[in-house]
Amino acid sequence: MKTIRLKNKQIDYPILIGSNLYKDIGKICKKYLEKNRVFIVCDITIYNLYKDEIHTSFKKTKIECVFIPIGVSEKKKNINTVASLSSKIIAHSVDRKDTIIALGGGILGDIVGFTASIILRGINYIQLPTTLLSQVDSSVGGKTGVNNIYGKNLLGSFYQPKLVIIDTNVLKTLPKRELLAGYAEIIKYGIIKDTKFFQWLQKNGKKVIEGNTNARIYAIYRSCINKSQIVEADEKEHGIRALLNLGHTFGHAIESLNNYKKNIIHGEAVSIGIIIATKLSYVEGHINKITCDKIINHFVEIGLKISMPKNLKKITPKKFISEMIKDKKTVNKEITLILIKRIGEAFIQKKYSQNKLIKLFTEITT
Ligand code: GLY
């Protein structure tokens, strides 16, 4: 098992990465709990797959576990779900020594983290991510939240978990489409700050998708180290944490214009968004054609999505840009973009003329 410690003056928690960890989950969690009780929030599929193994493990350590299965989808990621989940938890007479466990993918982790941050003004929670995307990105760093009719993740909080446990075994039952969606977030770290990791992925990326356990553990470990370093330096996203949003401003606009329909899942929208950011970086003269092609070729080789879904091709650049403006990073209607200087270095681009962006957008998407 590999351990990363996310630590700065305010934060300190471990991220444990290994395979076959659920059988010892009770023992692993015990020292982070203040009571012999946990609430495990998960979706129905995950509940059916892992409830027995997890229940047995907690029972061995004499910890009561209360499972709370909920319906999870991007459409249900809203304040109503937070309200009903809070009620289900509060109904058990919770106090501030209780702990909630988020057992699931990114959407579930965001909902549960946000709910934990507001129950009694904040109770403990642990992240047990079950998708590649949530293992390499959303379970680490304490961003929690839900969507609002005006856009994605517009309601939320920064609220750190007590512990993150990443078991690569759960990836064995994950559909390939979900693995590819998660890979888009992995490659992001190579592009924004880790040249060597990008090179490693060029050689080993296929193994990560195909199921090689060591390759998966290494890719997750490297991703979590990169993410931890950024969060340690800038937890509340006043500066460099924004780099983690490479491709996301475009991606969130795609998801929102698509009404969060399942033909495009989050990681796929991010994948297309990173390609748009790469092309924009090239058109703007920040990277050369060789670098631009190197990034795109890797996406193609792995089988990631690189172009807009057919149903969105008719969207005008103006409409797309007005959707992008709803991004959390927008200030005074100025969109903040993350662009690329070289593989291993991204930067924040704040000043942008709308006309220029419209022209570039038309070139890029047609
Ligand atoms: N997923 C981007 C961040 O955690 O900052």
Side-chain angles (χ1 to χ4, degrees):
M1 185 166 69
K2 285 182 181 290
T3 304
I4 297 168
R5 212 163 183 104
L6 199 160
K7 189 170 176 358
N8 67 12
K9 276 191 194 142
Q10 283 82 35
I11 319 170
D12 184 4
Y13 61 89
I15 301 156
L16 312 178
I17 306 162
S19 72
N20 219 3
L21 303 179
Y22 284 6
K23 63 176 176 29
D24 297 319
I25 204 82
K27 207 164 100 197
I28 296 172
C29 288
K30 198 171 171 80
K31 69 174 185 192
Y32 299 91
L33 304 179
E34 296 183 69
K35 274 170 88 167
N36 283 336
R37 169 168 88 162
V38 288
F39 295 97
I40 304 184
V41 185
C42 53
D43 73 25
I44 314 292
T45 315
I46 295 292
Y47 177 75
N48 290 331
L49 284 169
Y50 302 111
K51 79 164 181 319
D52 291 338
E53 189 177 11
I54 291 179
H55 186 260
T56 310
S57 179
F58 275 111
K59 207 170 164 196
K60 268 196 229 150
T61 43
K62 302 199 169 34
I63 295 164
E64 179 198 355
C65 62
V66 181
F67 280 94
I68 305 182
I70 60 168
V72 175
S73 69
E74 204 60 70
K75 282 201 168 149
K76 288 185 188 151
K77 188 182 175 187
N78 57 39
I79 201 71
N80 299 333
T81 300
V82 172
S84 76
L85 175 60
S86 311
S87 299
K88 283 180 193 160
I89 295 170
I90 294 169
H92 290 270
S93 311
V94 281
D95 60 46
R96 283 194 176 144
K97 303 250 182 253
D98 272 302
T99 297
I100 308 178
I101 296 182
L103 172 68
I107 301 175
L108 181 119
D110 283 6
I111 296 170
V112 175
F114 184 48
T115 307
S117 78
I118 57 173
I119 290 180
L120 306 178
R121 298 210 170 89
I123 66 170
N124 304 325
Y125 81 112
I126 291 173
Q127 288 276 16
L128 240 74
T130 58
T131 59
L132 186 58
L133 188 139
S134 56
Q135 296 188 338
V136 298
D137 186 41
S138 57
S139 66
V140 173
K143 265 194 187 173
T144 79
V146 291
N147 305 332
N148 167 271
I149 49 162
Y150 290 104
K152 199 171 157 76
N153 296 339
L154 294 184
L155 300 173
S157 58
F158 288 100
Y159 191 63
Q160 301 295 338
K162 291 280 167 221
L163 168 71
V164 181
I165 304 168
I166 299 173
D167 186 341
T168 56
N169 252 21
V170 297
L171 302 178
K172 289 185 180 152
T173 50
L174 196 70
K176 184 165 179 196
R177 185 177 173 202
E178 291 277 355
L179 288 168
L180 292 172
Y183 192 92
E185 299 278 7
I186 293 180
I187 188 73
K188 173 184 86 178
Y189 296 108
I191 298 172
I192 63 171
K193 80 182 277 289
D194 193 342
T195 319
K196 282 206 175 116
F197 187 39
F198 184 90
Q199 287 160 351
W200 183 89
L201 288 167
Q202 282 181 306
K203 286 202 196 87
N204 300 287
K206 281 206 172 129
K207 290 190 203 157
V208 175
I209 299 299
E210 282 160 7
N212 179 306
T213 303
N214 289 338
R216 281 184 174 173
I217 290 181
Y218 182 75
I220 295 166
Y221 177 69
R222 219 44 258 154
S223 299
C224 290
I225 285 196
N226 278 304
K227 176 131 193 198
S228 299
Q229 287 167 351
I230 290 181
V231 174
E232 282 163 2
D234 178 25
E235 183 198 4
K236 302 267 166 74
E237 202 169 301
H238 298 302
I240 65 158
R241 185 162 182 170
L243 298 180
L244 292 170
N245 288 309
L246 175 71
H248 284 60
T249 306
F250 300 107
H252 288 167
I254 292 171
E255 286 183 275
S256 174
L257 288 167
N258 196 40
N259 285 322
Y260 302 107
K261 287 200 297 276
K262 289 187 177 154
N263 62 320
I264 290 288
I265 54 177
H266 176 63
E268 292 172 333
V270 168
S271 176
I272 300 163
I274 295 177
I275 294 297
I276 298 176
T278 303
K279 290 187 177 177
L280 194 53
S281 303
Y282 168 56
V283 180
E284 281 286 280
H286 303 298
I287 54 172
N288 60 24
K289 179 100 175 68
I290 297 171
T291 304
C292 179
D293 288 347
K294 209 182 263 182
I295 295 173
I296 297 172
N297 289 345
H298 185 59
F299 276 60
V300 172
E301 210 171 64
I302 297 294
L304 301 184
K305 283 218 183 301
I306 60 162
S307 56
M308 291 284 268
K310 274 202 190 93
N311 58 316
L312 290 189
K313 286 217 159 133
K314 286 190 247 83
I315 298 264
T316 62
K318 267 209 153 123
K319 176 109 184 80
F320 196 85
I321 289 163
S322 66
E323 200 58 45
M324 282 172 59
I325 289 176
K326 293 174 188 166
D327 186 78
K328 290 183 292 308
K329 295 183 298 307
T330 299
V331 178
N332 290 333
K333 301 221 163 144
E334 288 278 1
I335 298 173
T336 304
L337 289 176
I338 311 303
L339 298 182
I340 304 160
K341 211 174 261 177
R342 61 178 181 88
I343 292 174
E345 190 178 350
F347 66 100
I348 300 166
Q349 175 78 285
K350 284 209 189 250
K351 292 276 166 243
Y352 230 94
S353 106
Q354 289 240 345
N355 288 343
K356 203 168 172 193
L357 190 54
I358 288 172
K359 187 169 168 285
L360 290 169
F361 189 79
T362 314
E363 281 170 23
I364 284 161
T365 51
T366 49

